[in-house]
Amino acid sequence: MDKRALGTSGISIAPLALGGNVFGWTADEATSFSIIDAFVARGFSLIDTADVYSTWLPGHTGGESERIIGGWLKRGGRREAVHIATKVGMDMKAAGKGLSRAHIIAAAEASLRRLGTDYIDLYQAHIDDNTVPLEETLEAFARLVEAGKVRAVGASNYTAPRLAEALATSDAKGYPRFSVLQPHYNLVNRALFEGALQKLCLTENIGVIPYYALAAGFLTGKYRRPEDLEGKARAGTVAHYLDPRGLDLLAEMDKIAARLGATPTQVALAWLIAQPGVTAPIVSASTLAQLDDIMEAPGLALDAAALSRLDRASI
């Protein structure tokens, strides 16, 4: 499988990343292990998680996803076969939040312990923190890189002006740059990335790994009526896509999928993979069947007609 350079991180990956947000949530430990096994067996390597996964569940305090990935490694998963990306900055309840020097250093050590590894391939600021000077945040990341505990650093949920300011600060101070951006980007949410942020990433050679690549499952086509959401873990997130625009988009995806012998999931991901600047979309799977569907997406080449129709339907 062809690999893509992840910006200037020095890491190359296949054009699909596995989202670890479901580990310990909608996928138990045994299922999570099976999903990682299958993902790696197919030649993929980037697993994205965060310290905050999954604090939203009763009784969880964060780090549950990282512990499962660590358990996979301890069980015999080859460390050299995967690239582990995790994030810092969201509210970890008693463990704190934000991007202060002290919190970043402490959070990185905690993530390393949970993961059972001595280095993180990609350590990302999960959210911008304008209460802390960028210089302090970037200096903390630089310490971790210098110590060999982090290979590369990145950012998630940054605006174009703040990302540009962070890059300029790193250049001025000699700190490692954010080489990767993790934005919210998919066929039904284009405005947050397209435009100034996408242009900046292209100009500065920043790798882009979009999250919510399938819009919390909406772009799989399995949610088309309010009744389809009953009892589903992501019902609240998906509900607002069930409008005429969203349903028209699904209808267009159905036509393209039928013509190409693919699924709506594969069409949605292939569209993302084809977008300028995108290295690999992040997609989570709670079952092996979902993963099998997802892993076919990099092999689906959308022709010009399909890309044009999707662009028009998703505006």
Side-chain angles (χ1 to χ4, degrees), residues 1 7 27 36 38 45 49 62 77 94 112 134 160 168 181-183 187 196 277 284 296:
M1 187 181 303
I36 299 172
S45 64
T49 186
L112 288 166
L134 274 170
L181 177 72
Q182 187 174 146
L187 268 169
S284 57
E296 295 300 321

Side-chain angles (χ1 to χ4, degrees), residues 162-242:
R162 283 288 282 180
L163 180 58
E165 185 181 354
L167 296 174
T169 301
S170 290
D171 292 345
K173 297 294 182 179
Y175 297 147
R177 287 175 133 225
F178 286 146
S179 55
V180 179
L181 177 72
Q182 187 174 146
H184 182 176
Y185 185 40
N186 55 50
L187 268 169
V188 286
N189 289 290
R190 296 174 57 182
L192 290 174
F193 177 66
E194 293 181 2
L197 194 52
Q198 185 177 34
K199 183 178 179 181
L200 179 62
C201 289
L202 287 166
T203 300
E204 298 292 340
N205 191 21
I206 293 172
V208 179
I209 49 174
Y211 70 89
Y212 273 173
L214 292 173
F218 174 73
L219 292 171
T220 66
K222 64 184 177 182
Y223 305 118
R224 297 176 188 257
R225 305 169 303 159
E227 304 91 274
D228 296 335
L229 301 175
E230 292 177 4
K232 302 299 182 181
R234 293 173 174 156
T237 304
V238 175
H240 68 278
Y241 298 131
L242 292 178

Side-chain angles (χ1 to χ4, degrees), residues 7 21 23-24 27 30 48 59 68 81 87 96 101 107 118 123 142 180 191 229 238 261 266 290 298 305-306:
N21 60 312
F23 299 160
D48 178 79
I68 284 178
K87 300 182 286 291
R101 180 186 298 108
D118 56 3
Y123 200 40
V180 179
L229 301 175
V238 175
Q266 293 160 14
Q290 290 175 355

